[in-house]
Amino acid sequence: MWLKPDEILLKNAFKLWVTEKDNEYFILQRRRGYGEGGGGLTGLLVGTLDTVLDSTSKVAPFRILHHTPDSQIYWTIACGVTKEEIFQHWDWLQQNIMRTLSVFDSSEDITSFVQGKIRGLIAEEGKSSLVHEDEPEKFREALLRFEKWFELPSEEKLVTYYSCSYWKGKVPCQGWLYLSTNFLCFYSYLLGSEVKLVISWDELWKLEKTSNVILTESIHVFAHGEDHYFSMLLHLNETFVIMEQLADYSIKRLFDKEGFQKEPTLRNPLQITRRGLEAHAKSEQFRTFFRLPKEENLLEVHESFLWVPFSYFNTLGKICLSENYLCFASQDGSQCHVIVPMREVINVEKPDSGSRALTVCMRGKRALRFSEVRDYQRLTNSIRSRCGISASPLHSASSEAIRGECQSLINHFEDNPEDVTLMVGQRDNAKAVSTEALMTVFHPQDMENLDPKMLKEKMKEQSWNIHFSEYGRGTSMFFTKKTRDLIVRGVPEALRGELWMLFSGAVNDMATHPGYYTELVEQSLGTSTLATDEIERDLHRSLPEHPAFQSDTGISALRRVLTAYAYRNPKIGYCQAMNILTSVLLLYAKEEEAFWLLVAVCERMLPDYFNRRIIGALVDQAVFEDLIRENLPQLVEHMTDLSFFSSVSLSWFLTLFISVLPIESAVNVVDCFFYDGIKAILQLGLAVLDYNMDALISCHDDAEAVTILNRFFDSVTNKDSPLPQTVQQASGGSNDRASNFGVDISELIREAYEKFGHLRSEEVESSRKRNKLYVIQTLEDTTKQNVIRVVSQEVRFTASELDEVYYLFKRQHFLSCYWTMKSPALLHHDPSLAYLEQYQLGFQQFSTLFFLLEPWAFCPVKSTLSLWVFRLIDENRDGLVNFKEFCTALDTVYGGSFTNKLKFLFKLHLPPEDGVIRKSPERGRGKVDLQAYLKQWQNEILKKEETIKDLPRINQAQFIQFSKTLYNIFHGDPEEESLYRAVAHVTSLLLRMEEVGRKLQEPSSPPASSKPAPASAEGSPAEDTTTSPDSTDTSSSQTSQDTPGSELSEVDWSFSFEQVIASLLNEPAIVSFFERPVDIQSKLGQAKAAQLKLKIQK
């Protein structure tokens, strides 16, 4: 590798380096302790220095120096890991540089020329290099060490590296931590003791920052049942964040099969960089905080002050700019933030060129004034350019008119700061859909009703109207502490749908996708999928007590929304609990609004909740357990096993308490959820347990605890709810109890915010990431146990052997995904598949793993024979092999009887039925051929055990190949010679038997055969004993009727399996070979060591 010329002195260096070659201007040196001669104690010391110190000259075993005869200064210009690599550089210098140097007169000119040439070579390499880090020279050196020490495939992308200590037992090892796209690696070499650690990110169970008496602060990694601690990191927090991001990226790509199509920095695993990961993390945090669509990325951040008219002061914060949104969040603790869609912006003006201020003018006579913006000119240009792209044609006008309107707004804004009407927004007049919110249809409000509850409802509406007049309404509204206070008190029925849309960000989704929902409904209705079947089954289970869902109006709306979403997102499709949530959304929002609210909940606010494995809900349950330990220590002391709360709280998270609380109380919880996200649900869960603390501590078993909680939820009321009793009938049975000891939902929510409002969204997100690793691996472990339990009933392997085979099978599956975006495993992933088929191998992955594990070494990688094995065990012919099919084949070759092993080899050489790979029935969108599923299941149920009489005959070419396969199997065996003779004897015997059979039947045979040869037909053995020549041999057989010998040589012959097995049974050497037990444990150990290396060689 060429290096940036670096000046060194060789006064004391000759003790560490040995000169291999030299000339007038260059010296090639080898590091002591490497290569020939070893190095003894010097080699050990040098190796230790190479690991601990960060210098290329002390790491690479070979280097080239440049010098001039009249100078004592030397320059390092190249280094290499191998002698071949450094010799290539040396030869290049001899051929391209040495002749040129003779034309220079001075040493300074020679050195300057050499340095310039080397820098030019480095720059040329950099154009195609994957190195894009801040210090490319040091990173190149680290990359060299990484490739040398760990011998990973060349495609593996090193992201970053750190110096640290790794604790092996109670002894720290100083070395280097390397973080790449797919692996966490550590290397240390101290006085002859080498420590090398390679862990793939998909194998991590825990990743957390810890501290104890010995280690003040360290990073704890748990994988393969072992704990690993890394300390003495100069930038521990930075290191941990990068590790967390890489682990999260690996989980999303390998377990969730996410393609990152909308994120170019993460799309290609071969191009992952630290900057890309940091940008992705910041964009994700930005989208989560401001509830923006997944397409938005954080592009610019500017620190500034924002004039807040309702408080009459400037608040310090940050302006965050994405493709379609301008957002601001305060930093001074006032909890103020505002979101401005670019479609709302008319123009941007700078009131005074010297003030570093700018004013953003929006529709509806609204404006935001930012001051003390350091790079205000860049921000202004960015907003203007994006407004030009996103501006609506309905509001297009001449630049003069816009400029005049904005200037008048600015002048009025400066002269009348108390005039807050400038900040008042107008509610968007979204295009009405065919249905209204179901609550307005089935429970219209009586404006003349003077009932106390209705009066209180009017007071709530008035409070919100005052809030709107001060803080704005609709998009671009200010979100402050007062907004949260109003949410906690309860949202008026009339405003609930509007505020849900605003707080969730669904209002922006709907505004930017006009007509999208209508198109989805038209495309999805009438389709027949597994999701639509489940939807139809659950329609009448969705809030059946509510009048809206006792009529076709509500049921039809629910069907359209759920079916449209299943069509939009087949990865999720439909999951139980979505019907309950959507029912509540339809009560307060129009049908199209309910659809976009469902999108916001499933894809942004509750990620991974609504899928087959409900990973998101399980992760939040783990977060909930952690919060219980931190905030309710008394409960933890009494109930050490907190898994009880996980099982009880699952429905709380999946349905946002809708399934356990009366509907009039549950909607208040949904209000808080849309404003504060999952934090609101966690707070309320803690408040529920805290409220029932004494009763839970005194209970004796889980059943009693469940009863206590159910009784509590039945007693929760909403004394301010204006809903009639027909809607509240679900809780009517407990009204008497509620009047005695019930708790009001508003008081419960207020208590949750007062006691547990200190929870920060950032802490919740961090805890989510930390617990997701453990939840995913626990589910994977459960899946493995289920698979092994099923497969163990059909094979002879022990549970521990199956466990190791499963590990290799799953690892081979992931190896196909590590360095490509288009692996068969990713392209054919179907989350709806049973656990037995979650991991499958295509032909290339299968051939590699089968080559490592099969006992006879007869099946090279990607060989024709390997393809035949793959074709044979791929029972459903979908081009993929699952774990059960793989183990069945291994079981046959390892533990099968002599007959079964020979039958397996015999069937390899039979042609396929149709030679066509059938794809599995399509899932997700469109129609599914349910008949195909039923037929497949029926065939599996009625499948009878195959006998040797059911096997077709093999013809001449197939038998010859069968014999070759036997020779390959016996190659290298101690009894190879006797086995070869036995095969030759069997072959000769079978040919003689066939010849005798033909002669006996020759008189009765017609002179010219007109029948087609049944060589590959599945007829009875009796009919296939003599086969007539096929059409291609007819003419030749007729011309040689007078010469029987010639006729026999031209005519094809075939054998049945019964003939083959009978002949082989007469050879003791062959029988003993196939009946000889084979130790699979040694094969498994060899496969683990060679699996990754085989990938490198390919």
Side-chain angles (χ1 to χ4, degrees):
M1 181 177 71
W2 298 109
L3 301 176
K4 180 181 177 182
D6 188 21
E7 181 180 328
I8 63 171
L9 292 174
L10 289 188
K11 184 176 181 181
N12 299 315
F14 286 108
K15 295 179 181 179
L16 302 177
W17 293 90
V18 178
T19 299
E20 295 276 322
K21 289 187 177 184
D22 64 344
N23 57 37
E24 189 176 2
Y25 297 109
F26 300 102
I27 299 175
L28 189 155
Q29 294 183 325
R30 172 177 55 84
R31 187 74 162 165
R32 286 189 185 275
Y34 291 92
E36 300 174 3
L41 180 60
T42 304
L44 292 178
L45 293 173
V46 170
T48 300
L49 289 173
D50 289 347
T51 305
V52 176
L53 302 181
D54 182 19
S55 172
T56 302
S57 63
K58 295 171 183 174
V59 172
F62 299 95
R63 70 178 181 181
I64 296 177
L65 307 178
H66 163 68
H67 75 109
T68 53
D70 56 351
S71 174
Q72 296 297 319
I73 299 174
Y74 291 75
W75 304 82
T76 56
I77 60 172
C79 68
V81 176
T82 64
K83 183 177 289 188
E84 291 76 14
E85 180 187 2
I86 203 69
F87 273 37
Q88 285 180 1
H89 289 353
W90 180 265
D91 293 340
W92 188 90
L93 290 170
Q94 297 296 316
Q95 297 169 12
N96 297 277
I97 299 294
M98 285 298 294
R99 295 177 183 177
T100 309
L101 296 182
S102 60
V103 304
F104 294 101
D105 297 328
S106 66
S107 299
E108 291 80 4
D109 292 342
I110 292 175
T111 300
S112 177
F113 174 78
V114 171
Q115 290 179 355
K117 195 67 178 177
I118 298 302
R119 287 192 179 97
L121 289 172
I122 293 173
E124 192 64 30
E125 287 181 353
K127 292 180 180 178
S128 58
S129 174
L130 298 179
V131 177
H132 304 287
E133 302 301 320
D134 296 332
E135 298 180 89
E137 195 61 36
K138 286 189 176 181
F139 194 83
R140 285 161 60 88
E141 297 171 11
L143 182 60
L144 184 72
R145 297 195 300 267
F146 176 71
E147 293 173 348
K148 167 194 167 187
W149 285 335
F150 302 107
E151 299 179 335
L152 294 172
S154 58
E155 300 94 339
E156 182 64 15
K157 176 67 174 65
L158 177 63
V159 176
T160 188
Y161 64 101
Y162 300 94
S163 173
C164 73
S165 291
Y166 168 64
W167 290 79
K168 189 177 183 181
K170 296 182 180 180
V171 180
C173 303
Q174 183 64 31
W176 291 90
L177 178 69
Y178 295 88
L179 308 179
S180 65
T181 305
N182 300 297
F183 298 96
L184 179 157
C185 306
F186 176 84
Y187 185 86
S188 174
Y189 185 88
L190 295 172
L191 299 178
S193 175
E194 183 182 57
V195 178
K196 186 184 296 187
L197 182 70
V198 179
I199 303 173
S200 57
W201 295 113
D202 55 85
E203 296 171 341
L204 262 61
W205 281 70
K206 284 184 181 179
L207 176 62
E208 58 188 355
K209 287 189 289 187
T210 60
S211 60
N212 54 39
V213 178
I214 300 176
L215 303 176
T216 53
E217 200 171 17
S218 63
I219 296 176
H220 172 214
V221 172
F222 181 73
H224 298 303
E226 296 181 0
D227 292 294
H228 307 277
Y229 293 90
F230 302 92
S231 65
M232 303 293 289
L233 285 148
L234 188 61
H235 305 287
L236 187 136
N237 290 330
E238 174 192 311
T239 308
F240 179 75
V241 168
I242 294 293
M243 293 171 73
E244 200 174 49
Q245 290 167 355
L246 284 168
D248 186 59
Y249 173 69
S250 180
I251 283 177
K252 287 180 178 178
R253 196 165 67 88
L254 300 176
F255 291 100
D256 300 340
K257 312 300 179 185
E258 191 170 323
F260 298 98
Q261 296 303 320
K262 296 177 181 177
E263 298 187 60
T265 56
L266 300 182
R267 190 181 306 156
N268 187 354
L270 305 183
Q271 299 285 350
I272 297 297
T273 63
R274 188 173 67 181
R275 288 181 182 175
L277 289 169
E278 290 172 350
H280 168 71
K282 289 178 181 177
S283 293
E284 201 171 45
Q285 188 178 9
F286 165 70
R287 289 191 297 265
T288 302
F289 183 82
F290 292 108
R291 306 282 169 75
L292 298 180
K294 285 187 175 182
E295 294 78 15
E296 299 300 313
N297 293 294
L298 182 60
L299 302 178
E300 297 179 25
V301 178
H302 300 268
E303 193 172 84
S304 74
F305 286 90
L306 171 65
W307 173 252
V308 186
F310 50 81
S311 300
Y312 304 105
F313 69 91
N314 287 308
T315 180
L316 177 64
K318 288 185 178 180
I319 301 171
C320 301
L321 198 66
S322 70
E323 290 87 348
N324 299 297
Y325 295 89
L326 169 69
C327 306
F328 177 86
S330 63
Q331 292 179 316
D332 57 3
S334 63
Q335 295 182 1
C336 165
H337 71 271
V338 62
I339 305 166
V340 181
M342 291 296 183
R343 64 181 183 274
E344 295 289 318
V345 178
I346 300 174
N347 205 356
V348 183
E349 289 294 334
K350 295 179 289 184
D352 182 4
S353 59
S355 64
R356 296 196 301 179
L358 56 92
T359 301
V360 179
C361 305
M362 298 171 289
R363 299 173 189 171
K365 292 187 176 182
R366 293 172 291 173
L368 295 175
R369 175 159 181 164
F370 300 99
S371 60
E372 297 300 322
V373 185
R374 178 175 299 178
D375 199 353
Y376 70 97
Q377 186 62 54
R378 177 188 172 193
L379 177 61
T380 301
N381 294 336
S382 297
I383 298 174
R384 283 176 177 171
S385 65
R386 283 171 174 76
C387 289
I389 296 172
S390 305
S392 171
L394 296 175
H395 292 269
S396 60
S398 65
S399 58
E400 292 79 6
I402 293 174
R403 186 178 296 276
E405 181 181 353
C406 289
Q407 188 59 49
S408 63
L409 276 172
I410 294 166
N411 295 336
H412 187 82
F413 198 78
E414 292 174 336
D415 298 338
N416 305 283
E418 72 283 353
D419 189 357
V420 296
T421 58
L422 283 176
M423 307 307 298
V424 179
Q426 306 295 326
R427 183 179 180 185
D428 293 338
N429 294 319
K431 180 181 177 182
V433 293
S434 58
T435 60
E436 290 294 324
L438 295 179
M439 195 63 79
T440 62
V441 176
F442 289 89
H443 178 51
Q445 290 191 9
D446 185 0
M447 304 301 292
E448 299 179 358
N449 189 352
L450 298 180
D451 180 84
K453 290 185 176 181
M454 288 304 299
L455 287 175
K456 195 157 188 178
E457 188 76 3
K458 295 298 179 186
M459 291 174 63
K460 283 184 183 179
E461 289 186 29
Q462 186 61 32
S463 298
W464 275 96
N465 287 329
I466 294 172
H467 184 272
F468 291 148
S469 67
E470 293 180 351
Y471 299 91
R473 184 171 186 175
T475 54
S476 311
M477 183 181 89
F478 278 81
F479 297 84
T480 65
K481 285 182 178 180
K482 190 174 181 181
T483 312
R484 179 180 281 112
D485 293 339
L486 288 174
I487 291 288
V488 172
R489 294 177 198 169
V491 175
E493 299 280 318
L495 297 176
R496 187 161 272 137
E498 174 189 350
L499 293 176
W500 285 358
M501 289 289 289
L502 179 64
F503 297 151
S504 66
V507 62
N508 293 315
D509 292 328
M510 184 170 163
T512 54
H513 295 83
Y516 176 77
Y517 173 68
T518 305
E519 292 177 8
L520 273 185
V521 170
E522 292 174 355
Q523 295 170 6
S524 61
L525 284 182
T527 58
S528 176
T529 66
L530 297 177
T532 56
D533 292 343
E534 293 176 357
I535 290 170
E536 289 296 327
R537 185 187 62 205
D538 288 347
L539 283 176
H540 295 279
R541 305 177 187 175
S542 310
L543 299 185
E545 71 280 356
H546 198 286
F549 298 101
Q550 295 171 359
S551 69
D552 186 62
T553 303
I555 294 295
S556 298
L558 181 60
R559 177 187 292 113
R560 286 192 293 270
V561 172
L562 291 175
T563 306
Y565 185 78
Y567 189 84
R568 164 191 164 87
N569 191 345
K571 186 177 179 180
I572 291 178
Y574 170 77
C575 181
Q576 285 189 344
M578 287 174 67
N579 60 321
I580 298 174
L581 176 61
T582 308
S583 301
V584 175
L585 299 179
L586 282 167
L587 290 178
Y588 294 98
K590 298 176 183 180
E591 186 176 314
E592 185 176 5
E593 293 174 341
F595 169 79
W596 287 113
L597 284 169
L598 184 63
V599 170
V601 171
C602 294
E603 298 177 13
R604 289 201 299 272
M605 302 186 72
L606 296 178
D608 297 328
Y609 260 62
F610 301 100
N611 53 38
R612 297 286 173 180
R613 302 201 291 178
I614 56 171
I615 291 173
L618 296 175
V619 169
D620 283 343
Q621 283 182 299
V623 174
F624 188 51
E625 285 187 21
D626 291 344
L627 292 174
I628 292 174
R629 292 187 184 95
E630 294 174 12
N631 297 278
L632 304 174
Q634 289 180 307
L635 193 60
V636 175
E637 290 176 7
H638 178 73
M639 303 182 71
T640 53
D641 183 12
L642 298 182
S643 59
F644 161 74
F645 296 110
S646 295
S647 59
V648 170
S649 64
L650 181 61
S651 62
W652 304 359
F653 292 97
L654 281 174
T655 66
L656 308 179
F657 283 91
I658 295 171
S659 63
V660 294
L661 286 174
I663 184 63
E664 71 277 5
S665 300
V667 291
N668 285 38
V669 179
V670 179
D671 296 339
C672 299
F673 166 75
F674 277 121
Y675 189 82
D676 274 322
I678 194 62
K679 184 169 82 81
I681 305 300
L682 294 168
Q683 289 175 178
L684 185 61
L686 291 173
V688 168
L689 297 181
D690 183 62
Y691 193 92
N692 295 277
M693 177 78 74
D694 295 337
L696 290 172
I697 289 177
S698 62
C699 67
H700 298 90
D701 53 34
D702 292 351
E704 188 177 348
V706 170
T707 303
I708 290 170
L709 291 174
N710 288 339
R711 190 179 301 145
F712 169 78
F713 286 129
D714 288 341
S715 69
V716 175
T717 62
N718 188 348
K719 61 184 180 183
D720 298 332
S721 174
L723 298 181
Q725 288 300 315
T726 55
V727 175
Q728 301 184 28
Q729 62 184 355
S731 58
S734 59
N735 282 342
D736 295 337
R737 293 197 307 268
S739 62
N740 295 328
F741 59 91
V743 59
D744 184 71
I745 186 63
S746 298
E747 295 176 2
L748 184 62
I749 291 174
R750 188 180 298 111
E751 185 176 333
Y753 273 90
E754 289 175 356
K755 287 189 174 183
F756 308 106
H758 60 273
L759 296 179
R760 297 172 62 245
S761 298
E762 294 81 3
E763 295 173 355
V764 172
E765 289 301 320
S766 177
S767 183
R768 272 178 160 180
K769 288 182 179 178
R770 183 174 66 253
N771 283 287
K772 186 174 182 179
L773 288 171
Y774 183 78
V775 169
I776 289 265
Q777 296 295 0
T778 302
L779 288 173
E780 288 293 307
D781 193 58
T782 303
T783 299
K784 179 183 71 174
Q785 298 303 327
N786 290 334
V787 170
I788 290 176
R789 188 183 68 252
V790 171
V791 175
S792 63
Q793 299 174 3
E794 303 187 18
V795 298
R796 300 170 186 83
F797 296 132
T798 64
S800 61
E801 291 170 345
L802 282 175
D803 188 284
E804 294 186 52
V805 175
Y806 185 89
Y807 169 80
L808 291 167
F809 189 89
K810 179 180 172 182
R811 185 174 176 80
Q812 191 67 35
H813 168 91
F814 281 156
L815 284 174
S816 69
C817 308
Y818 278 169
W819 302 286
T820 179
M821 298 176 289
K822 296 181 179 180
S823 70
L826 292 175
L827 295 176
H828 296 92
H829 175 69
D830 185 352
S832 66
L833 289 173
Y835 55 78
L836 197 59
E837 299 184 3
Q838 280 299 307
Y839 297 115
Q840 302 183 87
L841 302 182
F843 167 64
Q844 291 187 5
Q845 292 77 42
F846 164 81
S847 63
T848 302
L849 186 58
F850 192 76
F851 168 74
L852 290 172
L853 290 178
E854 57 95 359
W856 303 319
F858 75 107
C859 204
V861 178
K862 296 184 183 178
S863 64
T864 303
L865 198 59
S866 180
L867 177 62
W868 292 350
V869 176
F870 180 80
R871 182 192 67 196
L872 176 63
I873 67 176
D874 181 18
E875 295 179 359
N876 59 355
R877 308 290 298 282
D878 63 350
L880 296 169
V881 168
N882 63 33
F883 182 70
K884 180 180 177 182
E885 293 169 336
F886 185 80
C887 286
T888 303
L890 274 187
D891 181 62
T892 300
V893 296
Y894 272 97
S897 63
F898 175 78
T899 302
N900 286 336
K901 289 178 181 178
L902 266 297
K903 185 167 71 171
F904 178 81
L905 296 173
F906 184 87
K907 290 170 67 176
L908 287 183
H909 301 82
L910 297 174
E913 294 178 6
D914 52 13
V916 178
I917 292 178
R918 297 190 296 268
K919 298 298 181 184
S920 57
E922 184 182 356
R923 294 175 173 83
R925 295 188 178 184
K927 293 186 177 181
V928 173
D929 188 359
L930 298 178
Q931 293 296 327
Y933 281 116
L934 294 174
K935 188 176 181 180
Q936 181 178 335
W937 294 336
Q938 184 181 23
N939 290 339
E940 290 178 0
I941 293 172
L942 300 178
K943 188 178 180 182
K944 63 178 182 179
E945 186 176 354
E946 186 180 54
T947 64
I948 59 177
K949 292 185 178 182
D950 296 326
L951 296 175
R953 301 170 67 87
I954 56 174
N955 60 27
Q956 176 180 347
Q958 294 158 4
F959 179 75
I960 292 173
Q961 186 60 49
F962 175 76
S963 301
K964 288 181 179 178
T965 301
L966 289 178
Y967 282 128
N968 290 335
I969 290 175
F970 300 148
H971 180 68
D973 190 85
E975 303 294 329
E976 180 180 350
E977 187 176 347
S978 62
L979 289 168
Y980 278 6
R981 285 200 301 268
V983 173
H985 183 262
V986 168
T987 305
S988 176
L989 179 63
L990 286 171
L991 289 174
R992 287 200 301 271
M993 288 171 57
E994 180 66 15
E995 183 178 349
V996 170
R998 286 186 174 279
K999 286 182 178 180
L1000 290 175
Q1001 292 195 4
E1002 187 176 332
S1004 61
S1005 300
S1009 176
S1010 59
K1011 298 179 184 178
S1016 59
E1018 294 185 14
S1020 64
E1023 294 174 350
D1024 292 341
T1025 303
T1026 58
T1027 58
S1028 301
D1030 57 23
S1031 57
T1032 58
D1033 293 325
T1034 300
S1035 59
S1036 61
S1037 63
Q1038 289 176 342
T1039 58
S1040 58
Q1041 286 178 14
D1042 298 333
T1043 53
S1046 173
E1047 182 180 357
L1048 286 172
S1049 65
E1050 294 292 338
V1051 175
D1052 278 348
W1053 34 259
S1054 64
F1055 300 109
S1056 67
F1057 179 69
E1058 291 172 295
Q1059 292 174 307
V1060 174
I1061 193 71
S1063 302
L1064 291 172
L1065 282 170
N1066 290 322
E1067 298 295 334
I1070 295 178
V1071 174
S1072 63
F1073 175 86
F1074 283 108
E1075 290 185 345
R1076 185 193 309 161
V1078 183
D1079 181 20
I1080 191 175
Q1081 283 294 342
S1082 60
K1083 273 288 184 180
L1084 291 171
Q1086 295 169 11
K1088 282 185 179 180
Q1091 193 173 28
L1092 190 57
K1093 291 181 180 179
L1094 197 62
K1095 175 70 180 177
I1096 298 171
Q1097 294 169 5
K1098 290 163 62 181

